[in-house]
Amino acid sequence: MNKKLLVIGFVWPEPKSSAAGSRMLQLIEQFQNQGYDVTFASAANTSNNTFDLSRLNINTQAILLNDSSFDVFVKSLNPDVVLFDRFMSEEQYGWRVSEQCPNALRVLDTEDFHGLRKAREVALKQNVEVSITHLQNDITKREIASIYRSDISLMISEAEIDLLTTTFKIDKSLLYYLPFLLEPISETEKKQLPSFEARQHFITIGNFLHAPNYDAVLYLRQTIWPLIRKQLPKVELHIYGAYESQKVTQLNNIKDGFLIKGFAEDVNEVMQNAKVCLASLRYGAGLKGKLIDAMQNGTPSVMTSIAAESMFGDFNANGFIEDDPETFAEKAVLLFTNSEIWEQKQKNGFEALNQRFNRLDFEEGFSAHINSLRHNLKAHHEKNFIGQLLRHQTMQSTKYMSKWIEAKNR
C-alpha cells in the first residue's frame, strides 16, 4: 500500500501567480517521487488562476476552519506525513492532526521566514536598520512556536537558517534546507534564447497581493525609474503581476514609459522579450521567484541585496546587487547598453541556477531524511522538549479559540 501525504494548503496553488505556488508543486513532486499518494486540502477559495491538481493525480478536499469535520476527515485518511503550507496552516490544524494522527510526521513548509519580512517592513517605515527588537515581533513568535511544534521545517534560504539558529538558538535538527527545485538548463535551451540585440525594454514582475512587490514598484516609479529614463529616454519598463488593484493601475504612465501590464499568461515569453529585469525590493524574505524566472530565461538583473539574499551562494550574480538608488540606476543603464557585460551576467545566471537549484542534487537526501524521521519519530520528539511544551494544553490558545468559535457557530 502506498504511503500517504496530506498537504494542508494556506491557499490553492497558483504557479502562474506566485513563486509560492511553484514551490508547492515542486514539493508535491518530491513526495510523489518517494511513492506517496497525495491529498491536497484547503479552506481557501479557488480562483481562475488555481492549478488543476487532478492533472498530477492529486486528490483534493475542501475543508473548513474551526470545525471538527476536519478531525473526521484526517482520521479516516490517516496520512503518514502531513505538510503544512506556512505557519498559519499549522496553527489552525496542527493540534487536530496531533490528536487524530499522533504517528504522522508533521512537516512545515515555511515558504520564507515571515517574521523577518515583518521586521524589515517595520524598520523600513521607521527608516532605521533592522534590530533584534524588530525581529522579536508577534509574527516571529507565532512562527517559531509553529517550527517547534512541527517535526521538521523546510527552509528555502540559508540566510534564514543562519538567523534562526544563531539569533533564536533553534536546534538545527528541526530545520532542513530545501530551496527551489528546478530542471537544469541545457546548452540547447541556452542557444534558443533571444540574443541581446533581439530584446528590448526593462521588466519587473511579482504578485501585487504581496506587499513587498507593490512597495518595490512604487520605489521604481518614484525614485529609480526617473534616473534610468533620464539616460535612456526612449526605453520602457513593463510591469507584470497577478491581482493588480486600482492603486497599481494608476501608476501606469505611457509618457514616462512606465507600463503596468498586469497578469502574465506566460512568464517565459515576457521575460525573454526583456533585456534587463529590475528587482528593487526594499523588504521581504526567502528566495525571489522573479530572479529565478529571469535566470531561466537568460535575462540579467539589477537587484537590491534583499532581493539577492541566499540566491547566489559562492557564485557570481546574474547582474548587479545595489542598494543605493543612483548606483542601481547606473548599473541598469550599463547592463542595458553593454552587450559584453550583459552576456557575462547571463552566463553567471545559468551557472548559479544549475549549480544551486538542480532538483536532482536534493532528491535523494530529502527522501532519506524524511524516511529517517518517520522511522525515529519517538526519539526525535523526545529531543524536542520545547515542542512538547508548546503542545501542552496550557500553551494551546489557538486550539481553545478554535473550539470556542466552532461552539459559537453552532
Side-chain angles (χ1 to χ4, degrees):
M1 201 168 79
N2 271 9
K3 299 169 286 189
K4 285 186 278 194
L5 168 74
L6 170 64
V7 183
I8 302 178
F10 180 62
V11 292
W12 295 94
E14 293 187 15
K16 283 187 175 182
S17 305
S18 73
S22 307
R23 158 76 168 175
M24 179 49 75
L25 295 183
Q26 291 164 13
L27 289 181
I28 286 171
E29 185 186 18
Q30 288 292 313
F31 279 99
Q32 285 182 321
N33 291 347
Q34 292 179 35
Y36 283 84
D37 287 335
V38 181
T39 301
F40 193 101
S42 180
N45 294 323
T46 56
S47 79
N48 295 337
N49 301 334
T50 298
F51 184 82
D52 178 8
L53 291 167
S54 66
R55 281 167 44 192
L56 302 176
N57 295 323
I58 296 162
N59 302 311
T60 56
Q61 177 72 40
I63 50 177
L64 297 171
L65 293 169
N66 306 309
D67 197 290
S68 52
S69 58
F70 176 83
D71 303 1
V72 178
F73 157 69
V74 79
K75 189 169 190 170
S76 77
L77 182 69
N78 193 22
D80 299 280
V81 179
V82 177
L83 176 67
F84 299 101
D85 170 21
R86 288 164 263 206
F87 77 91
M88 301 78 96
S89 298
E90 189 283 330
E91 262 182 354
Q92 180 65 231
Y93 295 102
W95 63 272
R96 293 182 183 275
V97 170
S98 242
E99 286 180 0
Q100 304 302 325
C101 309
N103 299 322
L105 177 72
R106 292 188 303 273
V107 181
L108 172 64
D109 181 37
T110 56
E111 283 295 346
D112 54 44
F113 182 22
H114 296 72
L116 174 61
R117 188 200 304 158
K118 185 66 187 171
R120 286 172 168 165
E121 181 182 8
V122 173
L124 176 67
K125 282 178 181 158
Q126 294 172 349
N127 202 19
V128 294
E129 290 288 307
V130 176
S131 69
I132 188 71
T133 311
H134 293 113
L135 285 165
Q136 290 177 344
N137 59 61
D138 283 353
I139 289 177
T140 297
K141 289 167 191 166
R142 287 169 59 194
E143 191 162 17
I144 287 180
S146 187
I147 287 171
Y148 274 115
R149 285 191 302 262
S150 303
D151 297 317
I152 194 75
S153 290
L154 307 180
M155 305 298 300
I156 208 163
S157 153
E158 294 145 318
E160 290 172 12
I161 291 180
D162 190 48
L163 181 68
L164 289 169
T165 52
T166 56
T167 303
F168 294 105
K169 307 291 187 249
I170 292 177
D171 195 291
K172 271 199 169 133
S173 68
L174 294 176
L175 308 173
Y176 191 84
Y177 175 60
L178 197 68
F180 288 132
L181 305 162
L182 308 170
E183 292 295 333
I185 294 175
S186 68
E187 290 305 316
T188 313
E189 286 169 311
K190 291 177 196 174
K191 288 193 180 85
Q192 286 167 349
L193 292 169
S195 66
F196 175 84
E197 292 75 23
R199 297 171 181 241
Q200 52 180 353
H201 305 310
F202 289 88
I203 187 173
T204 189
I205 193 163
N207 182 334
F208 294 118
L209 285 180
H210 190 55
N213 287 334
Y214 173 69
D215 176 77
V217 171
L218 209 55
Y219 182 43
L220 280 172
R221 180 79 192 96
Q222 294 167 347
T223 309
I224 295 171
W225 185 244
L227 299 170
I228 294 173
R229 186 77 173 180
K230 199 185 281 181
Q231 295 188 63
L232 301 169
K234 290 207 164 60
V235 300
E236 294 170 4
L237 171 60
H238 295 181
I239 298 126
Y240 291 92
Y243 302 108
E244 66 183 280
S245 60
Q246 182 60 41
K247 66 178 184 180
V248 175
T249 313
Q250 67 191 16
L251 296 173
N252 188 66
N253 188 313
I254 294 168
K255 182 169 75 67
D256 293 345
F258 196 88
L259 308 178
I260 305 290
K261 297 281 193 174
F263 181 68
E265 195 53 53
D266 183 349
V267 67
N268 299 319
E269 187 186 332
V270 297
M271 202 51 97
Q272 284 176 31
N273 287 337
K275 197 167 269 187
V276 175
C277 173
L278 303 178
S280 53
L281 291 151
R282 295 192 293 175
Y283 69 97
L287 290 177
K288 309 304 176 293
K290 54 179 76 47
L291 293 181
I292 293 284
D293 291 332
M295 289 191 280
Q296 285 180 319
N297 290 290
T299 312
S301 304
V302 185
M303 64 211 103
T304 57
S305 52
I306 280 177
E309 185 173 77
S310 281
M311 186 60 80
F312 302 105
D314 296 331
F315 293 89
N316 292 317
N318 75 320
F320 296 102
I321 302 168
E322 299 294 346
D323 290 322
D324 172 69
E326 277 85 10
T327 320
F328 190 104
E330 273 170 32
K331 290 291 170 42
V333 171
L334 176 65
L335 205 44
F336 196 87
T337 52
N338 187 315
S339 63
E340 207 174 304
I341 293 174
W342 188 91
E343 280 164 12
Q344 183 53 54
K345 299 297 185 187
Q346 184 190 57
K347 269 197 198 118
N348 293 352
F350 294 144
E351 188 180 11
L353 211 56
N354 284 353
Q355 296 297 324
R356 280 182 62 73
F357 305 111
N358 183 341
R359 68 176 182 83
L360 301 173
D361 294 342
F362 293 93
E363 279 185 353
E364 216 170 284
F366 181 54
S367 176
H369 196 69
I370 291 293
N371 272 334
S372 166
L373 283 173
R374 280 193 57 218
H375 291 116
N376 302 288
L377 200 52
K378 187 169 180 283
H380 185 68
H381 283 166
E382 283 166 358
K383 275 194 227 147
N384 177 16
F385 184 69
I386 293 175
Q388 292 180 46
L389 201 69
L390 290 168
R391 284 196 295 275
H392 186 259
Q393 53 160 357
T394 55
M395 295 288 181
Q396 290 193 314
S397 60
T398 47
K399 168 180 169 176
Y400 294 108
M401 174 59 94
S402 183
K403 284 182 173 291
W404 178 79
I405 293 169
E406 183 178 5
K408 186 167 155 285
N409 287 344
R410 287 207 195 101

